[in-house]
Amino acid sequence: MSETAELYQTLIMDRTKNPRHAGKPAKFDFEGHGENPMCGDRVHVYVADNGTRVNHESRGCAIMVASAELMADAVAGLTLDEVTERRMAFEAMLNSGTPNPMLGDLNALSGVSEYRSRIRCATLPWSALAEALGGAK
Amino acid sequence: MSETAELYQTLIMDRTKNPRHAGKPAKFDFEGHGENPMCGDRVHVYVADNGTRVNHESRGCAIMVASAELMADAVAGLTLDEVTERRMAFEAMLNSGTPNPMLGDLNALSGVSEYRSRIRCATLPWSALAEALGGAK
Amino acid sequence: MSAALKIANFDIAAIRNDFPILSQTVHGKKFVYLDSGASAQKPRAVIDAMVHVMEAQYANVHRGLHWMSERTSDAFEAVRDKTAKFLNAAAREEIVFTRNATESINLIAYTYGRASLNPGDAIVISEMEHHANIVPWQMLRDSHGVELRVAKITDAGEIDFASLEDKFTDGKVKLLAITHMSNVLGTYTPVERLAKFAHERGAKILLDGSQAVVHRQVNVQAIDADFYVFSGHKLYGPSGIGVLYAKREILEAMPPFLGGGDMIASVSYERSTWAKPPYRFEAGTPAIIETIGLGAAIDYVEAIGFPAIAAHERALTDHALAVLSKIEGLHILGSAQDRGGVIAFTMDDVHAHDIATLLDRQGIAVRAGHHCAEPLMGRLGVTSTARATFGLYTTMEEIDALAAGLLRVKQVFA
Amino acid sequence: MSAALKIANFDIAAIRNDFPILSQTVHGKKFVYLDSGASAQKPRAVIDAMVHVMEAQYANVHRGLHWMSERTSDAFEAVRDKTAKFLNAAAREEIVFTRNATESINLIAYTYGRASLNPGDAIVISEMEHHANIVPWQMLRDSHGVELRVAKITDAGEIDFASLEDKFTDGKVKLLAITHMSNVLGTYTPVERLAKFAHERGAKILLDGSQAVVHRQVNVQAIDADFYVFSGHKLYGPSGIGVLYAKREILEAMPPFLGGGDMIASVSYERSTWAKPPYRFEAGTPAIIETIGLGAAIDYVEAIGFPAIAAHERALTDHALAVLSKIEGLHILGSAQDRGGVIAFTMDDVHAHDIATLLDRQGIAVRAGHHCAEPLMGRLGVTSTARATFGLYTTMEEIDALAAGLLRVKQVFA
Ligand SMILES: Cc1ncc(COP(=O)(O)O)c(C=O)c1O
Ligand SMILES: Cc1ncc(COP(=O)(O)O)c(C=O)c1O
């Protein structure tokens, strides 16, 4: 099914099916929520251990779950400013479809740029994270 | 101006400019009112002398005034049933455009059939008359 | 595979030729449009009718004495006659033109609702309504103090008459507002029975015909509907035009909705008086071109005929239910006895969004989401579903393509 | 006779070629359309844009994840950007699509009016409003207990600022709702001054731009308009599509108008929450094809450019005022300093209906009646008038044809 390879590639499918950061941790410092009213999808993000661990509880599509997973990988241990920087670069990459070396594995989501209505799926975990970190300021 | 001859013919123009039945009589038996909300035109009809005389006060277009005039000619002295019969024949003639021998001079208005939006102008005096004669029943 | 071809007078190839868009490709694949329930494609006849107005016979309607205006008014008003005949209304004056079904329902809520319902009165809807038949009544409830009650549906997706009876027992219900066909479950509701039910209990009935009118001959007099609404764009007509049918005596008693030109008898600063229905409810310049387009759509559908359309769609639906239920892990929502060509489904471990995107990559357009029926999603225990809907141009092959496409989706998620 | 040809970049012959309908004949005569103020004709570009949607790129908007729906949504939303730019709005979210100017004004009355005006507050309109800017306020007055005040116009047909001042003295006025250009007198109102006037007195201002937007570049930020409304069909666009501009913070605070799909954030039976503007005010399937047609109309007008359009219409109006005022017994209504191509007139001893019918026989389309401005007719001491209105395709020759036609009308009534 080559025509979908660019979006539903191995990395995304793998992380959707075998999430590494799913579930609510026993202890956490901050939490944030994201919800897409258009489809009812939602994600809850937890930041624990001084910002070195990010978890999510997700009810949504493969793109959203994979995005939450890759985000959790990408932001662990970053400063607030660095998180903001990643988020902006990530959104720019989703809009343009051009991978950005700084984003590493997050570039696996660049295919979303061809599906404008799916961009929200990919950004939802980041909104939830921003809400969580709003409490950290 | 031949192209308008069929509607604004001599009889109509003559009766519009020199009405014979215009004005409110000193004494009358019945009266009725007609008004076209779309343009604000109005006609008031008076029936006097036992139905042998019909007058009108008109504020409206040439078609309406001529129609009121020719109506006043046509119905003077008729019975209620005959008036109703004339009215129905007149309206049928306006819709079809086919003159009806029974209608005499009223056939001068047959050109109105080509101007659907003007049919109301020609029938307004007859509505006013019907209202007046409603009181006669 | 060729069941559709057996239907008398129904030449699917010729019909597809009437719809220019169907020969498009998407992502280099044949375009398979299974989203007609959201909005249908337009036949050449509708496009041509609209072009004709704009090229040869256009002016504002009603107010003009000149030739173009008279001809345009005639063409516009002829569609009112046509629509009245289409629904078998008793009179042309019972047809009000709106933008869409949504506006039609809101018009009723704002006029009939505010003038004829009193605080303490109740309105009943069902669990399978579109937001268009929920939100206007909530707004009326909140502004006007009426009560909003929701009658249950069965697990099969049919009206639960026991629950309905229950909602009516205290005698407060003045209006039953209910769909004629669910846009999620495909259920046709028993409208004659519902109308009788409501009338026997002193309530009026409003039917949301948005989906039904496309698939079945509707006879508002036989149903004894008080209100019936639909949208032109789902009936192969233009966007921007909808219909509200209401019984004459109801319309006569209704206050106006929007104020402005054409809906008045006279205007003075102190007091204005209203035109008779239907004009009382049509303020301002109407959707002239679109109304004429709707007329062409009605002609088109009637030329094919509802017996043939219904038979074709019956065959499509049967086939789709058969092939889709063979796909393991796929769950079809609803199993009403009387159901039509609207099939919503979920798949184990695959989100509806992903189904839609992966099908789209194969040229197949389906919808995914809550289908403007969030409360129904809750009732069904899902948050969103994929949905395939059929039109008169849908083929058996397209349904097979859907089934094949879904198997590929499963592979990706295997 | 060739004044129009002197305007840079304005090739009237080429422009007329863009409008297929203008080459029609009526009663065997060249078609002279002088009724653009009621509704304008459509250029090929608008017709083509609508056909393109229906033939190649159509689906319902906003809710679809598939290619056709995404592309249609993009095309639809691009018109919102275009319209925002056209009016120089500060943000695309300030543009709400409606059916027409009439619905736009009613939307404001139903939402802003009911939520932000209180019994005892007053609304001021002028003596030269269209029914669309009178009746919605009367309805609000009657349902909601606000007061409706009418500021006078001068005999020339301009806003009487002394009278306006008078209406505002008690500080109760919360809204000034006034036309940007009279559809009878052709008067342009001094909108910047009016906005400043209203704002200094604590009132908001709504401008009815139905006529003005066709002839002049509108800049809602420079005007500082709170609300601005117009219809697509007068701007060479399709019927069935209108625009409401409102400042963002005003829209944000407004409750919804119609309830249904697309205007919600979430729906449950107990409580629904509303989408952000502009979607909050766009319930149900919008006029998709018509919105895209409006986009093409805006492109068309902007490609010609308002400087050229305004210069052409200025020349037409000057010429028309000159030749018509030479006709004995003909009376032009209004003589504002700043006036445009809308000329209403009466003739001694000839009713407006008869003028229209006799001109129509010569192929010339003018309007006759009260032009949806009955109270203004009263102010002017007439019951109806004839009216010629010009569009960007109107020629000097057509104005001469009108003058010649009117002389023949006089002959018939001589
Ligand atoms: C000044 C003015 N306001 C409002 C309107 C109403 O426009 P519409 O009928 O398109 O809603 C018109 C046109 O009829 C107009 O000329
Ligand atoms: C059952 C039902 N009711 C109402 C609507 C609303 O139709 P529209 O958006 O055309 O107003 C729809 C379609 O979206 C529908 O399927």
Side-chain angles (χ1 to χ4, degrees):
Chain A
M1 197 172 192
S2 65
E3 63 279 337
T4 57
E6 71 279 19
L7 185 52
Y8 291 86
Q9 49 170 267
T10 321
L11 181 59
I12 291 181
M13 293 313 298
D14 180 50
R15 297 302 291 270
T16 296
K17 287 182 221 159
N18 309 299
R20 296 180 203 161
H21 306 286
K24 181 176 176 177
K27 279 177 56 184
F28 56 87
D29 306 318
F30 308 109
E31 60 185 321
H33 190 74
E35 197 159 337
N36 184 342
M38 282 301 156
C39 58
D41 282 0
R42 57 189 62 168
V43 55
H44 206 87
V45 167
Y46 303 91
V47 180
D49 299 345
N50 247 324
T52 59
R53 202 151 67 86
V54 173
N55 266 32
H56 63 95
E57 285 183 304
S58 295
R59 188 186 72 190
C61 61
I63 304 302
M64 190 191 90
V65 176
S67 179
E69 282 284 310
L70 298 174
M71 174 185 83
D73 285 352
V75 300
L78 297 189
T79 66
L80 285 181
D81 283 352
E82 285 166 338
V83 170
T84 305
E85 190 190 15
R86 288 297 184 290
R87 185 184 174 192
M88 287 170 63
F90 179 65
E91 294 189 352
M93 184 273 289
L94 291 179
N95 278 310
S96 68
T98 315
N100 178 339
M102 177 221 241
L103 293 170
D105 277 356
L106 290 168
N107 287 318
L109 288 157
S110 62
V112 173
S113 66
E114 283 186 46
Y115 291 87
R116 282 199 26 153
S117 50
R118 302 300 300 277
I119 290 180
R120 275 190 289 204
C121 307
T123 57
L124 202 62
W126 290 82
S127 319
L129 178 65
E131 187 182 296
L133 297 181
K137 273 192 194 149
Chain B
M1 199 170 186
S2 66
E3 64 279 335
T4 57
E6 71 278 22
L7 185 53
Y8 291 86
Q9 49 168 270
T10 322
L11 181 58
I12 292 181
M13 293 314 298
D14 179 51
R15 295 302 291 269
T16 295
K17 288 183 221 157
N18 310 300
R20 297 183 203 158
H21 306 286
K24 180 177 180 174
K27 280 179 55 184
F28 57 89
D29 306 317
F30 307 109
E31 60 184 323
H33 191 72
E35 195 157 339
N36 184 344
M38 283 300 155
C39 58
D41 283 359
R42 57 190 62 170
V43 55
H44 206 88
V45 166
Y46 303 92
V47 181
D49 300 343
N50 247 326
T52 60
R53 201 151 68 86
V54 172
N55 265 32
H56 65 95
E57 285 183 304
S58 295
R59 188 187 73 190
C61 62
I63 303 301
M64 190 191 90
V65 176
S67 179
E69 281 284 309
L70 297 175
M71 175 185 82
D73 285 354
V75 300
L78 296 190
T79 66
L80 284 183
D81 284 350
E82 286 167 337
V83 170
T84 306
E85 190 188 18
R86 288 295 186 289
R87 185 183 174 196
M88 286 171 63
F90 179 65
E91 293 190 352
M93 184 272 290
L94 290 179
N95 277 310
S96 68
T98 316
N100 177 340
M102 177 221 240
L103 292 170
D105 278 355
L106 290 170
N107 287 318
L109 288 158
S110 63
V112 174
S113 66
E114 284 185 45
Y115 291 87
R116 283 200 25 152
S117 51
R118 303 299 302 275
I119 290 180
R120 276 190 287 205
C121 307
T123 57
L124 201 63
W126 289 82
S127 319
L129 178 65
E131 186 181 298
L133 297 182
K137 273 196 193 147
Chain C
M1 204 98 319
S2 59
L5 300 177
K6 292 186 216 129
I7 296 160
N9 297 323
F10 194 85
D11 180 346
I12 184 78
I15 285 173
R16 289 184 67 84
N17 255 331
D18 293 338
F19 291 80
I21 204 171
L22 296 181
S23 53
Q24 295 279 323
T25 55
V26 164
H27 302 304
K29 302 285 156 69
K30 255 183 91 170
F31 177 42
V32 174
Y33 187 66
L34 298 176
D35 197 19
S36 294
S39 198
Q41 300 299 344
K42 320 303 173 202
R44 170 68 51 212
V46 167
I47 301 171
D48 285 351
M50 294 169 72
V51 169
H52 176 74
V53 184
M54 293 188 270
E55 281 188 357
Q57 196 201 71
Y58 181 80
N60 211 330
V61 293
H62 298 148
R63 303 177 211 155
L65 303 175
H66 56 78
W67 191 88
M68 281 285 173
S69 178
E70 289 195 338
R71 287 310 163 284
T72 312
S73 299
D74 285 354
F76 178 87
E77 288 299 330
V79 180
R80 205 185 299 278
D81 292 304
K82 209 182 288 272
T83 309
K85 222 173 118 259
F86 179 67
L87 296 178
N88 194 35
R92 67 189 310 279
E93 290 80 10
E94 298 179 326
I95 303 299
V96 176
F97 291 124
T98 62
R99 175 174 38 246
N100 50 28
T102 300
E103 192 189 23
S104 298
I105 297 175
N106 280 276
L107 191 161
I108 302 165
Y110 269 107
T111 58
Y112 176 79
R114 293 184 187 213
S116 300
L117 300 184
N118 296 308
D121 288 347
I123 297 169
V124 172
I125 60 174
S126 86
E127 276 184 330
M128 58 178 165
E129 300 308 317
H130 187 279
H131 291 166
N133 198 28
I134 301 174
V135 183
W137 309 119
Q138 288 187 317
M139 289 168 62
L140 184 67
R141 174 193 67 192
D142 296 343
S143 74
H144 204 68
V146 299
E147 203 188 319
L148 180 58
R149 298 177 182 175
V150 186
K152 292 199 186 320
I153 57 169
T154 65
D155 289 338
E158 295 174 329
I159 298 295
D160 179 340
F161 271 86
S163 168
L164 196 63
E165 183 69 68
D166 187 50
K167 303 297 167 200
F168 275 77
T169 39
D170 65 4
K172 289 188 177 171
V173 179
K174 293 287 159 17
L175 179 68
L176 173 59
I178 200 160
T179 191
H180 189 177
M181 181 187 191
S182 163
N183 67 316
V184 174
L185 302 169
T187 311
Y188 289 105
T189 56
V191 285
E192 287 87 353
R193 183 175 165 198
L194 286 166
K196 194 156 172 284
F197 182 97
H199 291 151
E200 283 172 359
R201 287 158 185 79
K204 302 227 177 299
I205 187 164
L206 177 162
L207 293 171
D208 174 359
S210 304
Q211 295 292 334
V213 84
V214 182
H215 305 290
R216 289 196 169 174
Q217 182 77 60
V218 170
N219 182 332
V220 289
Q221 292 190 81
I223 297 169
D224 199 14
D226 297 297
F227 302 99
Y228 198 95
V229 307
F230 71 91
S231 287
H233 68 94
K234 295 191 206 264
L235 189 66
Y236 314 102
S239 50
I241 178 70
V243 170
L244 160 60
Y245 158 84
K247 283 181 185 160
R248 192 185 203 133
E249 65 271 21
I250 298 177
L251 282 182
E252 301 268 4
M254 270 161 48
F257 175 39
L258 306 183
D262 278 349
M263 54 70 72
I264 53 96
S266 69
V267 174
S268 72
Y269 294 126
E270 298 68 40
R271 204 174 93 83
S272 296
T273 57
W274 315 131
K276 287 199 179 2
Y279 304 106
R280 186 186 300 162
F281 307 102
E282 296 178 358
T285 303
I288 299 167
I289 302 161
E290 297 67 35
T291 304
I292 292 170
L294 172 65
I298 291 177
D299 284 343
Y300 182 80
V301 166
E302 291 193 326
I304 298 175
F306 276 105
I309 292 173
H312 175 63
E313 292 179 357
R314 175 81 262 153
L316 290 172
T317 307
D318 288 347
H319 184 60
L321 292 172
V323 298
L324 294 182
S325 51
K326 279 200 208 104
I327 298 177
E328 219 181 312
L330 185 149
H331 310 282
I332 294 172
L333 284 85
S335 57
Q337 280 291 322
D338 192 11
R339 76 170 294 161
V342 170
I343 303 187
F345 57 91
T346 58
M347 278 172 89
D348 289 344
D349 304 324
V350 193
H351 190 283
H353 281 186
D354 297 314
I355 298 175
T357 298
L358 285 163
L359 289 176
D360 179 58
R361 250 2 223 188
Q362 306 172 57
I364 305 168
V366 301
R367 192 137 291 240
H370 54 48
H371 314 296
C372 292
E374 263 189 84
L376 175 59
M377 295 293 114
R379 164 68 176 85
L380 300 170
V382 296
T383 52
S384 66
T385 83
R387 184 187 74 176
T389 48
F390 312 143
L392 49 77
Y393 38 63
T394 305
T395 66
M396 292 295 184
E397 289 74 16
E398 289 181 315
I399 291 179
D400 293 332
L402 171 66
L406 289 169
L407 290 175
R408 304 179 95 189
V409 171
K410 276 193 71 172
Q411 276 166 29
V412 173
F413 275 79
Chain D
M1 204 94 325
S2 59
L5 300 177
K6 292 185 217 133
I7 296 160
N9 296 324
F10 195 83
D11 179 347
I12 184 78
I15 285 174
R16 289 183 67 82
N17 255 332
D18 292 337
F19 291 81
I21 204 171
L22 295 179
S23 52
Q24 295 279 325
T25 56
V26 164
H27 303 303
K29 302 285 157 67
K30 254 183 92 168
F31 177 42
V32 174
Y33 188 66
L34 299 176
D35 197 19
S36 294
S39 199
Q41 299 298 345
K42 319 305 173 201
R44 170 68 51 212
V46 167
I47 302 172
D48 286 350
M50 294 170 73
V51 169
H52 176 74
V53 185
M54 293 189 270
E55 280 188 356
Q57 196 200 72
Y58 180 80
N60 211 329
V61 294
H62 299 147
R63 301 178 213 155
L65 303 175
H66 57 78
W67 192 88
M68 281 285 174
S69 177
E70 290 195 339
R71 288 309 163 285
T72 311
S73 299
D74 285 354
F76 178 87
E77 288 299 331
V79 180
R80 204 183 301 276
D81 291 304
K82 210 184 288 271
T83 308
K85 223 174 116 257
F86 179 67
L87 296 178
N88 194 34
R92 68 190 309 279
E93 290 79 10
E94 297 180 326
I95 303 298
V96 176
F97 292 124
T98 62
R99 177 175 34 247
N100 51 27
T102 300
E103 191 190 21
S104 297
I105 297 175
N106 279 275
L107 192 161
I108 302 165
Y110 269 107
T111 60
Y112 176 80
R114 291 183 188 214
S116 300
L117 300 184
N118 297 307
D121 289 345
I123 297 169
V124 172
I125 60 174
S126 86
E127 276 183 332
M128 58 177 164
E129 300 308 316
H130 187 280
H131 291 166
N133 198 28
I134 301 174
V135 183
W137 309 119
Q138 288 187 318
M139 289 169 61
L140 185 66
R141 174 192 68 194
D142 296 344
S143 73
H144 204 69
V146 299
E147 203 188 319
L148 180 58
R149 300 176 180 176
V150 186
K152 291 200 189 318
I153 57 170
T154 66
D155 288 339
E158 295 173 331
I159 297 296
D160 179 339
F161 271 85
S163 168
L164 196 63
E165 183 70 66
D166 187 51
K167 302 297 166 199
F168 274 77
T169 39
D170 64 5
K172 290 190 178 170
V173 178
K174 293 286 160 14
L175 179 69
L176 173 59
I178 199 160
T179 192
H180 189 176
M181 180 187 190
S182 164
N183 67 316
V184 175
L185 303 170
T187 311
Y188 288 105
T189 56
V191 284
E192 286 87 353
R193 182 175 168 199
L194 287 166
K196 194 156 173 283
F197 182 97
H199 291 150
E200 283 171 359
R201 286 155 186 81
K204 302 227 176 299
I205 186 162
L206 179 160
L207 293 170
D208 175 0
S210 304
Q211 295 293 334
V213 84
V214 182
H215 305 291
R216 288 197 170 175
Q217 182 77 60
V218 171
N219 183 332
V220 289
Q221 291 191 79
I223 296 170
D224 199 13
D226 297 297
F227 302 99
Y228 198 95
V229 308
F230 70 91
S231 288
H233 69 93
K234 295 192 205 262
L235 188 65
Y236 314 102
S239 49
I241 178 70
V243 170
L244 160 60
Y245 158 84
K247 283 183 186 158
R248 192 183 202 137
E249 64 271 21
I250 299 177
L251 283 181
E252 300 268 3
M254 272 161 49
F257 176 39
L258 307 184
D262 279 350
M263 54 68 73
I264 53 96
S266 70
V267 174
S268 72
Y269 294 126
E270 298 67 41
R271 203 174 95 81
S272 296
T273 56
W274 315 131
K276 287 200 177 7
Y279 304 106
R280 186 186 301 161
F281 307 103
E282 295 177 359
T285 303
I288 300 168
I289 302 160
E290 297 66 36
T291 305
I292 293 170
L294 171 65
I298 290 177
D299 284 343
Y300 182 81
V301 167
E302 291 194 327
I304 298 175
F306 277 106
I309 293 173
H312 176 62
E313 292 179 358
R314 173 81 265 150
L316 290 172
T317 306
D318 288 347
H319 185 60
L321 291 172
V323 298
L324 293 183
S325 51
K326 279 198 207 106
I327 298 176
E328 219 181 312
L330 185 148
H331 311 282
I332 293 172
L333 285 85
S335 57
Q337 281 292 321
D338 192 10
R339 78 171 293 163
V342 170
I343 302 186
F345 57 91
T346 59
M347 280 172 86
D348 289 345
D349 303 325
V350 193
H351 190 282
H353 282 185
D354 297 315
I355 297 174
T357 297
L358 286 163
L359 288 176
D360 179 59
R361 249 5 222 186
Q362 306 172 58
I364 304 167
V366 300
R367 193 137 289 240
H370 55 49
H371 314 296
C372 291
E374 263 188 86
L376 175 59
M377 295 293 113
R379 165 68 177 86
L380 300 169
V382 296
T383 52
S384 64
T385 83
R387 183 188 74 174
T389 47
F390 312 143
L392 49 78
Y393 39 63
T394 305
T395 66
M396 293 294 186
E397 290 74 15
E398 289 182 314
I399 291 179
D400 294 331
L402 170 66
L406 289 169
L407 290 175
R408 304 180 94 189
V409 171
K410 276 194 70 170
Q411 277 167 29
V412 173
F413 276 79

